[in-house]
Amino acid sequence: MNSLPPIAERDMRRATLCQLLHWLAADRVQPQVLADVYLEAIERIDPQLNAYVDVRGSLLQEQARTAGKRRRDGVMGRLDGIPIALKDNFDVAGWPTRAGLPGREAPAEDDAHVVARLRASGALLIGKTNMDEGALGALTDNPHFGTTHNPYRHGYSAGGSSGGAAAAVAAGLAVAAVGSDSLGSIRIPASYCGVYALKPTHGEISARGLVPAARRLDAVGLLARGVDDLTVLLQVLAGYDADDARSRRRRVAFDLPDWEPGRLRAGLLPDLAAVGVSPEVQAVFDAAMDKLPRELGERRTVDFSDWDFGRTRRAGLLLMEAEMLGTFAADLANTEKPVSPRFRRMLDYAARKSAGDYANADRVLDAATLKMRRLFSQVDVLVLPTTPQGAFPLDGPAPDSIADLTSFASLAGCPAVSIPMGTLPDGLPIGLQLVGARGSDLRLLELASVVAATLDAEPVYPAIA
């Protein structure tokens, strides 16, 4: 009989995935109780936040009862009993995969690869989270399913296109979430919502069953309230999938997490203002760098004078928009439940471009790969803010540069981690981004853990109440 005091509901919702796994193993928390706590919080908080578009409470409770039985029988998966949210562009058998569009009502026949992995690990699937229309945006201001608000401040952007997933994690409405990242769709909302995110090496986690934005860019992304949580999720979900043409078959294992901080070579951009970083973000970044004199080892200024952040981000968008013309052809033709004028205009832009324009945009990916090879022959990690600005009011103009600092890792296929690095003068969080060479995912996560502990920028999570 466990004589320790019960865990308070608020603490269950603030806890990291790793902490909850410990409490579950120690029999201090039961899967059924955990599921009920998260369902009650969703019912109470989400009407104002709008992080979810589809929650099926009875199915969640049924999963929790099954997880409880597995624990009693002593046969458990790695994530047994952990409530996890999914962005609404992943297939879940029997559920519609809306991808933020109004006419997609047919249920999926099969689980996406990551959903099958989550089920096999014993995770509890809470529901589907809100996203930008077709994953083409960075606001999660969806004309069909409503706007997701930032948990730190109502009326401010949660980022996108995985904004619903990030808001759910930050507000204690999910322990962790799985989303997608094509040009920054995981890392941008992580920065705005003050949570941790990983975009793995391209192809490291199978994207089968994910509605594609641009298959050469799409990566399954992870969101959580702790760096170690991201490591656990990566280990559960990573691996070769023969049915995904871009799945990564490793010739060697991940680079071991064996960087010595004192010998680390950290690359920094010479002038953040020149690439559009706001003075407020630069001040927080500089303060964070001052706290890391040893952790980042030798600091080297890296040359990005040959890299136009805005132009290359625009090239990535063209690749997405051009592919979406085929992916969403039926949605574009649906007159009963039409897509928004904005979404149609963005895809019409791609339709007016020539094959040569597309080929030139595609060459940017090759240029990014070569840039990545040169960069990581000189440094071990690139360190920069995740976003050039913090969250902004939803009733004002959206900055064009939101994805400028995240797009390089996507175009080059590199892993990137975003961690909270501090708070802006307006009280909103902002993220620090670590980018590494392909295959350095575990090394990045280890470094992120050290950096996060030193910065001690643990978010308050104001919506967890």
Side-chain angles (χ1 to χ4, degrees), residues 119-153:
R119 288 192 196 275
S121 73
L124 312 182
L125 305 182
I126 302 174
K128 299 288 199 79
T129 56
N130 199 12
M131 57 180 286
D132 284 284
E133 199 174 9
L136 190 57
L139 305 179
T140 315
D141 185 10
N142 191 296
H144 314 292
F145 301 101
T147 301
T148 297
H149 293 263
N150 192 298
Y152 279 79
R153 188 164 302 162

PDB file of all heavy atoms in Angstrom, residues 119-153:
ATOM      1  N   ARG A 119       0.292   3.841 -30.097  1.00  0.00           N
ATOM      2  CA  ARG A 119      -0.614   2.807 -29.559  1.00  0.00           C
ATOM      3  C   ARG A 119       0.190   1.634 -29.003  1.00  0.00           C
ATOM      4  O   ARG A 119      -0.103   1.128 -27.906  1.00  0.00           O
ATOM      5  CB  ARG A 119      -1.557   2.320 -30.656  1.00  0.00           C
ATOM      6  CG  ARG A 119      -2.645   3.304 -31.088  1.00  0.00           C
ATOM      7  CD  ARG A 119      -3.638   2.541 -31.931  1.00  0.00           C
ATOM      8  NE  ARG A 119      -4.522   3.374 -32.709  1.00  0.00           N
ATOM      9  CZ  ARG A 119      -5.668   3.909 -32.266  1.00  0.00           C
ATOM     10  NH1 ARG A 119      -6.026   3.713 -30.999  1.00  0.00           N
ATOM     11  NH2 ARG A 119      -6.421   4.625 -33.061  1.00  0.00           N
ATOM     12  N   ALA A 120       1.200   1.205 -29.767  1.00  0.00           N
ATOM     13  CA  ALA A 120       1.997   0.058 -29.330  1.00  0.00           C
ATOM     14  C   ALA A 120       2.754   0.356 -28.040  1.00  0.00           C
ATOM     15  O   ALA A 120       3.034  -0.551 -27.246  1.00  0.00           O
ATOM     16  CB  ALA A 120       2.975  -0.347 -30.432  1.00  0.00           C
ATOM     17  N   SER A 121       3.053   1.648 -27.811  1.00  0.00           N
ATOM     18  CA  SER A 121       3.783   2.025 -26.597  1.00  0.00           C
ATOM     19  C   SER A 121       2.860   2.203 -25.400  1.00  0.00           C
ATOM     20  O   SER A 121       3.329   2.440 -24.285  1.00  0.00           O
ATOM     21  CB  SER A 121       4.548   3.327 -26.837  1.00  0.00           C
ATOM     22  OG  SER A 121       3.652   4.431 -26.883  1.00  0.00           O
ATOM     23  N   GLY A 122       1.537   2.117 -25.621  1.00  0.00           N
ATOM     24  CA  GLY A 122       0.579   2.265 -24.537  1.00  0.00           C
ATOM     25  C   GLY A 122       0.102   3.676 -24.290  1.00  0.00           C
ATOM     26  O   GLY A 122      -0.616   3.938 -23.317  1.00  0.00           O
ATOM     27  N   ALA A 123       0.495   4.631 -25.145  1.00  0.00           N
ATOM     28  CA  ALA A 123       0.064   6.014 -24.969  1.00  0.00           C
ATOM     29  C   ALA A 123      -1.450   6.126 -25.130  1.00  0.00           C
ATOM     30  O   ALA A 123      -2.082   5.354 -25.857  1.00  0.00           O
ATOM     31  CB  ALA A 123       0.759   6.913 -25.986  1.00  0.00           C
ATOM     32  N   LEU A 124      -2.031   7.101 -24.440  1.00  0.00           N
ATOM     33  CA  LEU A 124      -3.459   7.377 -24.540  1.00  0.00           C
ATOM     34  C   LEU A 124      -3.651   8.525 -25.527  1.00  0.00           C
ATOM     35  O   LEU A 124      -3.127   9.628 -25.320  1.00  0.00           O
ATOM     36  CB  LEU A 124      -4.032   7.772 -23.178  1.00  0.00           C
ATOM     37  CG  LEU A 124      -3.674   6.888 -21.972  1.00  0.00           C
ATOM     38  CD1 LEU A 124      -4.385   7.417 -20.723  1.00  0.00           C
ATOM     39  CD2 LEU A 124      -4.032   5.435 -22.233  1.00  0.00           C
ATOM     40  N   LEU A 125      -4.386   8.302 -26.601  1.00  0.00           N
ATOM     41  CA  LEU A 125      -4.616   9.338 -27.611  1.00  0.00           C
ATOM     42  C   LEU A 125      -5.780  10.210 -27.158  1.00  0.00           C
ATOM     43  O   LEU A 125      -6.929   9.752 -27.092  1.00  0.00           O
ATOM     44  CB  LEU A 125      -4.910   8.695 -28.963  1.00  0.00           C
ATOM     45  CG  LEU A 125      -3.856   7.693 -29.473  1.00  0.00           C
ATOM     46  CD1 LEU A 125      -4.252   7.180 -30.858  1.00  0.00           C
ATOM     47  CD2 LEU A 125      -2.473   8.338 -29.511  1.00  0.00           C
ATOM     48  N   ILE A 126      -5.492  11.463 -26.849  1.00  0.00           N
ATOM     49  CA  ILE A 126      -6.529  12.368 -26.350  1.00  0.00           C
ATOM     50  C   ILE A 126      -7.441  12.826 -27.470  1.00  0.00           C
ATOM     51  O   ILE A 126      -8.670  12.789 -27.358  1.00  0.00           O
ATOM     52  CB  ILE A 126      -5.897  13.615 -25.696  1.00  0.00           C
ATOM     53  CG1 ILE A 126      -4.971  13.217 -24.559  1.00  0.00           C
ATOM     54  CG2 ILE A 126      -6.980  14.554 -25.192  1.00  0.00           C
ATOM     55  CD1 ILE A 126      -4.216  14.398 -23.976  1.00  0.00           C
ATOM     56  N   GLY A 127      -6.859  13.314 -28.551  1.00  0.00           N
ATOM     57  CA  GLY A 127      -7.660  13.863 -29.631  1.00  0.00           C
ATOM     58  C   GLY A 127      -6.797  14.615 -30.616  1.00  0.00           C
ATOM     59  O   GLY A 127      -5.558  14.583 -30.553  1.00  0.00           O
ATOM     60  N   LYS A 128      -7.473  15.327 -31.522  1.00  0.00           N
ATOM     61  CA  LYS A 128      -6.820  16.055 -32.607  1.00  0.00           C
ATOM     62  C   LYS A 128      -6.780  17.545 -32.272  1.00  0.00           C
ATOM     63  O   LYS A 128      -7.762  18.118 -31.798  1.00  0.00           O
ATOM     64  CB  LYS A 128      -7.593  15.856 -33.908  1.00  0.00           C
ATOM     65  CG  LYS A 128      -7.698  14.410 -34.412  1.00  0.00           C
ATOM     66  CD  LYS A 128      -6.361  13.933 -34.956  1.00  0.00           C
ATOM     67  CE  LYS A 128      -6.516  12.724 -35.850  1.00  0.00           C
ATOM     68  NZ  LYS A 128      -6.975  13.048 -37.199  1.00  0.00           N
ATOM     69  N   THR A 129      -5.648  18.183 -32.572  1.00  0.00           N
ATOM     70  CA  THR A 129      -5.479  19.590 -32.245  1.00  0.00           C
ATOM     71  C   THR A 129      -5.623  20.478 -33.476  1.00  0.00           C
ATOM     72  O   THR A 129      -5.397  20.062 -34.613  1.00  0.00           O
ATOM     73  CB  THR A 129      -4.108  19.849 -31.601  1.00  0.00           C
ATOM     74  OG1 THR A 129      -3.070  19.376 -32.469  1.00  0.00           O
ATOM     75  CG2 THR A 129      -4.006  19.145 -30.247  1.00  0.00           C
ATOM     76  N   ASN A 130      -5.981  21.720 -33.211  1.00  0.00           N
ATOM     77  CA  ASN A 130      -6.217  22.717 -34.253  1.00  0.00           C
ATOM     78  C   ASN A 130      -4.927  23.059 -34.979  1.00  0.00           C
ATOM     79  O   ASN A 130      -3.818  22.935 -34.432  1.00  0.00           O
ATOM     80  CB  ASN A 130      -6.809  23.973 -33.606  1.00  0.00           C
ATOM     81  CG  ASN A 130      -7.518  24.868 -34.608  1.00  0.00           C
ATOM     82  OD1 ASN A 130      -7.769  24.483 -35.748  1.00  0.00           O
ATOM     83  ND2 ASN A 130      -7.854  26.077 -34.195  1.00  0.00           N
ATOM     84  N   MET A 131      -5.055  23.534 -36.210  1.00  0.00           N
ATOM     85  CA  MET A 131      -3.899  23.824 -37.055  1.00  0.00           C
ATOM     86  C   MET A 131      -4.303  24.814 -38.125  1.00  0.00           C
ATOM     87  O   MET A 131      -5.485  25.083 -38.344  1.00  0.00           O
ATOM     88  CB  MET A 131      -3.378  22.540 -37.704  1.00  0.00           C
ATOM     89  CG  MET A 131      -4.426  21.805 -38.538  1.00  0.00           C
ATOM     90  SD  MET A 131      -3.809  20.291 -39.315  1.00  0.00           S
ATOM     91  CE  MET A 131      -2.789  20.974 -40.611  1.00  0.00           C
ATOM     92  N   ASP A 132      -3.310  25.367 -38.799  1.00  0.00           N
ATOM     93  CA  ASP A 132      -3.596  26.225 -39.940  1.00  0.00           C
ATOM     94  C   ASP A 132      -4.187  25.400 -41.071  1.00  0.00           C
ATOM     95  O   ASP A 132      -3.935  24.201 -41.205  1.00  0.00           O
ATOM     96  CB  ASP A 132      -2.310  26.895 -40.426  1.00  0.00           C
ATOM     97  CG  ASP A 132      -1.884  28.029 -39.528  1.00  0.00           C
ATOM     98  OD1 ASP A 132      -2.497  29.097 -39.601  1.00  0.00           O
ATOM     99  OD2 ASP A 132      -0.935  27.839 -38.732  1.00  0.00           O
ATOM    100  N   GLU A 133      -4.943  26.041 -41.900  1.00  0.00           N
ATOM    101  CA  GLU A 133      -5.587  25.405 -43.043  1.00  0.00           C
ATOM    102  C   GLU A 133      -4.539  24.753 -43.945  1.00  0.00           C
ATOM    103  O   GLU A 133      -3.647  25.413 -44.463  1.00  0.00           O
ATOM    104  CB  GLU A 133      -6.353  26.485 -43.809  1.00  0.00           C
ATOM    105  CG  GLU A 133      -7.436  26.004 -44.737  1.00  0.00           C
ATOM    106  CD  GLU A 133      -8.224  27.160 -45.319  1.00  0.00           C
ATOM    107  OE1 GLU A 133      -7.827  28.326 -45.134  1.00  0.00           O
ATOM    108  OE2 GLU A 133      -9.234  26.900 -45.983  1.00  0.00           O
ATOM    109  N   GLY A 134      -4.610  23.417 -44.075  1.00  0.00           N
ATOM    110  CA  GLY A 134      -3.656  22.697 -44.906  1.00  0.00           C
ATOM    111  C   GLY A 134      -2.231  22.738 -44.389  1.00  0.00           C
ATOM    112  O   GLY A 134      -1.308  22.386 -45.118  1.00  0.00           O
ATOM    113  N   ALA A 135      -2.015  23.169 -43.146  1.00  0.00           N
ATOM    114  CA  ALA A 135      -0.686  23.353 -42.553  1.00  0.00           C
ATOM    115  C   ALA A 135       0.092  24.458 -43.251  1.00  0.00           C
ATOM    116  O   ALA A 135       1.316  24.532 -43.137  1.00  0.00           O
ATOM    117  CB  ALA A 135       0.123  22.050 -42.559  1.00  0.00           C
ATOM    118  N   LEU A 136      -0.618  25.329 -43.962  1.00  0.00           N
ATOM    119  CA  LEU A 136       0.026  26.408 -44.710  1.00  0.00           C
ATOM    120  C   LEU A 136      -0.163  27.717 -43.948  1.00  0.00           C
ATOM    121  O   LEU A 136      -1.045  28.519 -44.248  1.00  0.00           O
ATOM    122  CB  LEU A 136      -0.556  26.502 -46.124  1.00  0.00           C
ATOM    123  CG  LEU A 136       0.161  27.417 -47.112  1.00  0.00           C
ATOM    124  CD1 LEU A 136       1.625  27.025 -47.258  1.00  0.00           C
ATOM    125  CD2 LEU A 136      -0.518  27.380 -48.472  1.00  0.00           C
ATOM    126  N   GLY A 137       0.654  27.919 -42.939  1.00  0.00           N
ATOM    127  CA  GLY A 137       0.558  29.125 -42.134  1.00  0.00           C
ATOM    128  C   GLY A 137       1.310  28.960 -40.835  1.00  0.00           C
ATOM    129  O   GLY A 137       1.768  27.870 -40.502  1.00  0.00           O
ATOM    130  N   ALA A 138       1.420  30.059 -40.099  1.00  0.00           N
ATOM    131  CA  ALA A 138       2.157  30.030 -38.837  1.00  0.00           C
ATOM    132  C   ALA A 138       1.385  30.734 -37.736  1.00  0.00           C
ATOM    133  O   ALA A 138       1.974  31.275 -36.810  1.00  0.00           O
ATOM    134  CB  ALA A 138       3.526  30.685 -39.019  1.00  0.00           C
ATOM    135  N   LEU A 139       0.039  30.715 -37.832  1.00  0.00           N
ATOM    136  CA  LEU A 139      -0.793  31.458 -36.884  1.00  0.00           C
ATOM    137  C   LEU A 139      -1.781  30.585 -36.125  1.00  0.00           C
ATOM    138  O   LEU A 139      -2.203  30.928 -35.024  1.00  0.00           O
ATOM    139  CB  LEU A 139      -1.586  32.551 -37.619  1.00  0.00           C
ATOM    140  CG  LEU A 139      -0.801  33.553 -38.460  1.00  0.00           C
ATOM    141  CD1 LEU A 139      -1.756  34.527 -39.133  1.00  0.00           C
ATOM    142  CD2 LEU A 139       0.194  34.286 -37.605  1.00  0.00           C
ATOM    143  N   THR A 140      -2.226  29.466 -36.724  1.00  0.00           N
ATOM    144  CA  THR A 140      -3.360  28.663 -36.238  1.00  0.00           C
ATOM    145  C   THR A 140      -4.572  29.568 -36.034  1.00  0.00           C
ATOM    146  O   THR A 140      -5.264  29.535 -35.017  1.00  0.00           O
ATOM    147  CB  THR A 140      -3.020  27.890 -34.951  1.00  0.00           C
ATOM    148  OG1 THR A 140      -1.719  27.282 -35.097  1.00  0.00           O
ATOM    149  CG2 THR A 140      -4.024  26.765 -34.696  1.00  0.00           C
ATOM    150  N   ASP A 141      -4.808  30.375 -37.042  1.00  0.00           N
ATOM    151  CA  ASP A 141      -6.003  31.224 -37.125  1.00  0.00           C
ATOM    152  C   ASP A 141      -6.861  30.626 -38.226  1.00  0.00           C
ATOM    153  O   ASP A 141      -6.842  31.068 -39.370  1.00  0.00           O
ATOM    154  CB  ASP A 141      -5.585  32.655 -37.439  1.00  0.00           C
ATOM    155  CG  ASP A 141      -6.756  33.632 -37.433  1.00  0.00           C
ATOM    156  OD1 ASP A 141      -7.853  33.218 -37.006  1.00  0.00           O
ATOM    157  OD2 ASP A 141      -6.575  34.782 -37.860  1.00  0.00           O
ATOM    158  N   ASN A 142      -7.613  29.580 -37.867  1.00  0.00           N
ATOM    159  CA  ASN A 142      -8.283  28.760 -38.875  1.00  0.00           C
ATOM    160  C   ASN A 142      -9.697  29.276 -39.135  1.00  0.00           C
ATOM    161  O   ASN A 142     -10.499  29.385 -38.201  1.00  0.00           O
ATOM    162  CB  ASN A 142      -8.327  27.297 -38.397  1.00  0.00           C
ATOM    163  CG  ASN A 142      -8.770  26.356 -39.483  1.00  0.00           C
ATOM    164  OD1 ASN A 142      -9.892  26.429 -39.961  1.00  0.00           O
ATOM    165  ND2 ASN A 142      -7.900  25.439 -39.891  1.00  0.00           N
ATOM    166  N   PRO A 143     -10.044  29.566 -40.396  1.00  0.00           N
ATOM    167  CA  PRO A 143     -11.369  30.122 -40.694  1.00  0.00           C
ATOM    168  C   PRO A 143     -12.513  29.124 -40.521  1.00  0.00           C
ATOM    169  O   PRO A 143     -13.679  29.535 -40.472  1.00  0.00           O
ATOM    170  CB  PRO A 143     -11.243  30.556 -42.157  1.00  0.00           C
ATOM    171  CG  PRO A 143     -10.173  29.672 -42.728  1.00  0.00           C
ATOM    172  CD  PRO A 143      -9.208  29.443 -41.608  1.00  0.00           C
ATOM    173  N   HIS A 144     -12.201  27.837 -40.428  1.00  0.00           N
ATOM    174  CA  HIS A 144     -13.240  26.809 -40.315  1.00  0.00           C
ATOM    175  C   HIS A 144     -13.388  26.283 -38.890  1.00  0.00           C
ATOM    176  O   HIS A 144     -14.484  25.919 -38.471  1.00  0.00           O
ATOM    177  CB  HIS A 144     -12.917  25.647 -41.259  1.00  0.00           C
ATOM    178  CG  HIS A 144     -12.506  26.076 -42.631  1.00  0.00           C
ATOM    179  ND1 HIS A 144     -13.383  26.684 -43.513  1.00  0.00           N
ATOM    180  CD2 HIS A 144     -11.301  26.021 -43.255  1.00  0.00           C
ATOM    181  CE1 HIS A 144     -12.733  26.972 -44.637  1.00  0.00           C
ATOM    182  NE2 HIS A 144     -11.469  26.578 -44.495  1.00  0.00           N
ATOM    183  N   PHE A 145     -12.289  26.234 -38.146  1.00  0.00           N
ATOM    184  CA  PHE A 145     -12.310  25.645 -36.803  1.00  0.00           C
ATOM    185  C   PHE A 145     -11.941  26.647 -35.718  1.00  0.00           C
ATOM    186  O   PHE A 145     -11.810  26.276 -34.556  1.00  0.00           O
ATOM    187  CB  PHE A 145     -11.370  24.434 -36.756  1.00  0.00           C
ATOM    188  CG  PHE A 145     -11.747  23.362 -37.738  1.00  0.00           C
ATOM    189  CD1 PHE A 145     -11.071  23.227 -38.945  1.00  0.00           C
ATOM    190  CD2 PHE A 145     -12.806  22.507 -37.469  1.00  0.00           C
ATOM    191  CE1 PHE A 145     -11.434  22.246 -39.861  1.00  0.00           C
ATOM    192  CE2 PHE A 145     -13.177  21.523 -38.380  1.00  0.00           C
ATOM    193  CZ  PHE A 145     -12.498  21.394 -39.574  1.00  0.00           C
ATOM    194  N   GLY A 146     -11.780  27.902 -36.098  1.00  0.00           N
ATOM    195  CA  GLY A 146     -11.516  28.937 -35.112  1.00  0.00           C
ATOM    196  C   GLY A 146     -10.035  29.147 -34.843  1.00  0.00           C
ATOM    197  O   GLY A 146      -9.175  28.427 -35.346  1.00  0.00           O
ATOM    198  N   THR A 147      -9.763  30.129 -34.018  1.00  0.00           N
ATOM    199  CA  THR A 147      -8.401  30.538 -33.703  1.00  0.00           C
ATOM    200  C   THR A 147      -7.949  29.922 -32.388  1.00  0.00           C
ATOM    201  O   THR A 147      -8.695  29.920 -31.408  1.00  0.00           O
ATOM    202  CB  THR A 147      -8.323  32.069 -33.600  1.00  0.00           C
ATOM    203  OG1 THR A 147      -8.728  32.636 -34.844  1.00  0.00           O
ATOM    204  CG2 THR A 147      -6.912  32.524 -33.271  1.00  0.00           C
ATOM    205  N   THR A 148      -6.736  29.416 -32.367  1.00  0.00           N
ATOM    206  CA  THR A 148      -6.124  28.980 -31.112  1.00  0.00           C
ATOM    207  C   THR A 148      -5.406  30.170 -30.484  1.00  0.00           C
ATOM    208  O   THR A 148      -4.607  30.833 -31.143  1.00  0.00           O
ATOM    209  CB  THR A 148      -5.132  27.838 -31.348  1.00  0.00           C
ATOM    210  OG1 THR A 148      -5.830  26.703 -31.861  1.00  0.00           O
ATOM    211  CG2 THR A 148      -4.442  27.442 -30.044  1.00  0.00           C
ATOM    212  N   HIS A 149      -5.692  30.430 -29.215  1.00  0.00           N
ATOM    213  CA  HIS A 149      -5.091  31.557 -28.514  1.00  0.00           C
ATOM    214  C   HIS A 149      -3.852  31.111 -27.745  1.00  0.00           C
ATOM    215  O   HIS A 149      -3.742  29.966 -27.319  1.00  0.00           O
ATOM    216  CB  HIS A 149      -6.101  32.181 -27.553  1.00  0.00           C
ATOM    217  CG  HIS A 149      -7.252  32.846 -28.248  1.00  0.00           C
ATOM    218  ND1 HIS A 149      -7.300  34.194 -28.494  1.00  0.00           N
ATOM    219  CD2 HIS A 149      -8.393  32.326 -28.769  1.00  0.00           C
ATOM    220  CE1 HIS A 149      -8.417  34.492 -29.127  1.00  0.00           C
ATOM    221  NE2 HIS A 149      -9.106  33.373 -29.313  1.00  0.00           N
ATOM    222  N   ASN A 150      -2.949  32.046 -27.559  1.00  0.00           N
ATOM    223  CA  ASN A 150      -1.746  31.769 -26.780  1.00  0.00           C
ATOM    224  C   ASN A 150      -2.121  31.570 -25.317  1.00  0.00           C
ATOM    225  O   ASN A 150      -2.831  32.403 -24.749  1.00  0.00           O
ATOM    226  CB  ASN A 150      -0.764  32.940 -26.913  1.00  0.00           C
ATOM    227  CG  ASN A 150       0.602  32.611 -26.377  1.00  0.00           C
ATOM    228  OD1 ASN A 150       0.770  32.330 -25.190  1.00  0.00           O
ATOM    229  ND2 ASN A 150       1.593  32.630 -27.251  1.00  0.00           N
ATOM    230  N   PRO A 151      -1.674  30.486 -24.676  1.00  0.00           N
ATOM    231  CA  PRO A 151      -2.029  30.249 -23.272  1.00  0.00           C
ATOM    232  C   PRO A 151      -1.542  31.334 -22.322  1.00  0.00           C
ATOM    233  O   PRO A 151      -2.090  31.508 -21.240  1.00  0.00           O
ATOM    234  CB  PRO A 151      -1.354  28.904 -22.953  1.00  0.00           C
ATOM    235  CG  PRO A 151      -1.128  28.258 -24.260  1.00  0.00           C
ATOM    236  CD  PRO A 151      -0.892  29.377 -25.229  1.00  0.00           C
ATOM    237  N   TYR A 152      -0.510  32.060 -22.742  1.00  0.00           N
ATOM    238  CA  TYR A 152       0.012  33.127 -21.889  1.00  0.00           C
ATOM    239  C   TYR A 152      -0.829  34.397 -21.973  1.00  0.00           C
ATOM    240  O   TYR A 152      -0.847  35.189 -21.029  1.00  0.00           O
ATOM    241  CB  TYR A 152       1.455  33.457 -22.274  1.00  0.00           C
ATOM    242  CG  TYR A 152       2.457  32.509 -21.693  1.00  0.00           C
ATOM    243  CD1 TYR A 152       2.681  31.255 -22.252  1.00  0.00           C
ATOM    244  CD2 TYR A 152       3.192  32.857 -20.559  1.00  0.00           C
ATOM    245  CE1 TYR A 152       3.603  30.392 -21.707  1.00  0.00           C
ATOM    246  CE2 TYR A 152       4.117  31.988 -20.005  1.00  0.00           C
ATOM    247  CZ  TYR A 152       4.314  30.755 -20.585  1.00  0.00           C
ATOM    248  OH  TYR A 152       5.218  29.879 -20.036  1.00  0.00           O
ATOM    249  N   ARG A 153      -1.487  34.604 -23.114  1.00  0.00           N
ATOM    250  CA  ARG A 153      -2.261  35.832 -23.268  1.00  0.00           C
ATOM    251  C   ARG A 153      -3.325  35.642 -24.342  1.00  0.00           C
ATOM    252  O   ARG A 153      -3.007  35.441 -25.510  1.00  0.00           O
ATOM    253  CB  ARG A 153      -1.364  37.012 -23.614  1.00  0.00           C
ATOM    254  CG  ARG A 153      -2.075  38.364 -23.590  1.00  0.00           C
ATOM    255  CD  ARG A 153      -1.056  39.479 -23.562  1.00  0.00           C
ATOM    256  NE  ARG A 153      -0.169  39.357 -22.392  1.00  0.00           N
ATOM    257  CZ  ARG A 153       1.008  39.962 -22.297  1.00  0.00           C
ATOM    258  NH1 ARG A 153       1.433  40.730 -23.282  1.00  0.00           N
ATOM    259  NH2 ARG A 153       1.758  39.804 -21.221  1.00  0.00           N
TER     260      ARG A 153
END
